[in-house]
Amino acid sequence: MTYATDLKPLGPVDTTVRKAQLTLDELWAQTTVETRAYTGNMIALTVRQHLRRVQEALAGLEGRYAGRQIIGVMDGTDDLTVHASLVPQTGGLYVERLTLEASPEQLQGAILPLIRPATVNHVWWGADSRPGGTLLAELTEIADQVIVDSLTLDMPPSWHYALADLGWSRSAPWREALAQLFDSPDAAQQLPRVTHLTVRYAGKKDLPARLFAGFIASTLGWPDLSTVEFRAGRCGRENGDLCGVELRGEGVLFSLKAERAEVVQTHCRWENVQRTTEVHVPSMTLAQGLARVMARPERGEVFEAAWALAKQTL
């Protein structure tokens, strides 16, 4: 990664694993840059269908956290191809990008030599399917952080790397907004009366909603999610993002509902109490979710308890 003034894309240039560094050096020589700073490696594993989405998300990081991006496209041809680029980022940055297309078996031996040593390694599984073979497993051995949809991949939290779940990270503003409903002591006193939960989500992906429900259920001391209902909703947010949540029981109701961009309406009701307000709950792009987990990996008992309850529902 480097700062520059008038940045233009350089590449992609076809190269090989052995000549990748030489090719990058030749691209750097075309710039006016004299010094480079390497902040880490981002190794993104994906398929052609999601390649553009992954590229856009990595571009949205604006060069933070990872000065070298290695994208492994796992449904390439039998012949390994390597493309080297210097990609300009918003804010006046260049990052190195190496895009490899091959089978998972070929990528296994090709990615490791391209990882810049002595920096932090982020590994992101940017595909919707479960991993086959040992490619991801081997990369986790050298990873400082693994970014996945942990329920899809059935990857429980581990002690030897920081597990980051994008769905969990992107629900953080909703968790904070929900906690605000119970800041007042009289509202908190109603929690034992809550017996049912409904979580609404955008699109077809309900796994982040299950993690969110697991968080609520574990906080309330519920043994499982048998009294939780998941519903698809329409709120103009990205696939998998939350649209609303409703906690209810006999005589009590607490709800959050996405009304318009960035705004969520909250409603509380019990006995003679009625409270309605609006709170700021920003939606997160994929790039923003990545930036959040790379800057602040979320580990701990809260996530682990939510994960365990959500896993039971699959």
Side-chain angles (χ1 to χ4, degrees), residues 153-169:
L153 272 60
D154 192 15
M155 287 185 68
S158 172
W159 62 271
H160 72 276
Y161 56 78
L163 179 67
D165 189 289
L166 284 173
W168 175 258
S169 176

Side-chain angles (χ1 to χ4, degrees), residues 2-260:
T2 183
Y3 288 90
T5 52
D6 185 20
L7 298 182
K8 298 178 181 178
L10 296 173
V13 176
D14 292 346
T15 184
T16 64
V17 172
R18 181 173 295 181
K19 295 181 179 180
Q21 185 60 56
L22 176 62
T23 304
L24 287 171
D25 289 340
E26 291 173 348
L27 290 174
W28 281 115
Q30 298 177 37
T31 73
T32 58
V33 174
E34 296 182 0
T35 59
R36 313 174 200 172
Y38 297 100
T39 53
N41 298 294
M42 163 57 86
I43 304 148
L45 303 174
T46 189
V47 294
R48 287 177 180 171
Q49 178 185 356
H50 302 310
L51 177 57
R52 177 171 291 184
R53 181 184 71 176
V54 167
Q55 290 173 330
E56 290 175 351
L58 293 179
L61 292 176
E62 300 179 353
R64 293 170 293 176
Y65 318 118
R68 173 168 290 185
Q69 302 172 355
I70 302 171
I71 304 176
V73 183
M74 299 178 289
D75 53 353
T77 64
D78 291 337
D79 296 325
L80 172 67
T81 61
V82 182
H83 310 286
S85 308
L86 293 185
V87 184
Q89 306 288 285
T90 303
L93 299 172
Y94 269 131
V95 295
E96 298 176 343
R97 178 177 292 171
L98 296 167
T99 303
L100 290 70
E101 297 186 34
S103 67
E105 292 74 22
Q106 290 171 309
L107 290 175
Q108 205 163 309
I111 288 177
L112 288 178
L114 300 175
I115 296 174
R116 184 167 289 279
T119 57
V120 176
N121 296 321
H122 307 272
V123 176
W124 172 29
W125 183 263
D128 292 336
S129 58
R130 289 176 178 266
T134 60
L135 175 59
L136 181 60
E138 290 208 353
L139 287 175
T140 60
E141 293 299 319
I142 55 91
D144 297 286
Q145 182 184 51
V146 178
I147 304 169
V148 297
D149 182 332
S150 60
L151 290 175
T152 296
L153 272 60
D154 192 15
M155 287 185 68
S158 172
W159 62 271
H160 72 276
Y161 56 78
L163 179 67
D165 189 289
L166 284 173
W168 175 258
S169 176
R170 291 167 70 183
S171 74
W174 284 87
R175 284 181 270 131
E176 293 164 4
L178 182 63
Q180 290 177 26
L181 294 188
F182 300 100
D183 280 345
S184 61
D186 59 343
Q189 290 171 5
Q190 311 308 316
L191 280 172
R193 300 170 63 181
V194 174
T195 55
H196 292 77
L197 170 65
T198 299
V199 183
R200 291 178 172 82
Y201 56 91
K204 298 181 179 179
K205 189 174 182 180
D206 67 352
L207 296 179
R210 293 181 185 276
L211 270 178
F212 187 71
F215 157 70
I216 295 174
S218 63
T219 301
L220 295 177
W222 294 356
D224 52 46
L225 303 186
S226 59
T227 59
V228 179
E229 183 178 5
F230 299 96
R231 293 183 180 178
R234 294 182 180 179
C235 58
R237 301 202 173 203
E238 291 191 18
N239 182 30
D241 285 348
L242 297 176
C243 282
V245 58
E246 184 179 283
L247 296 84
R248 63 190 182 280
E250 187 173 353
V252 295
L253 173 69
F254 298 92
S255 68
L256 296 91
K257 183 180 180 182
E259 291 290 335
R260 54 188 186 277

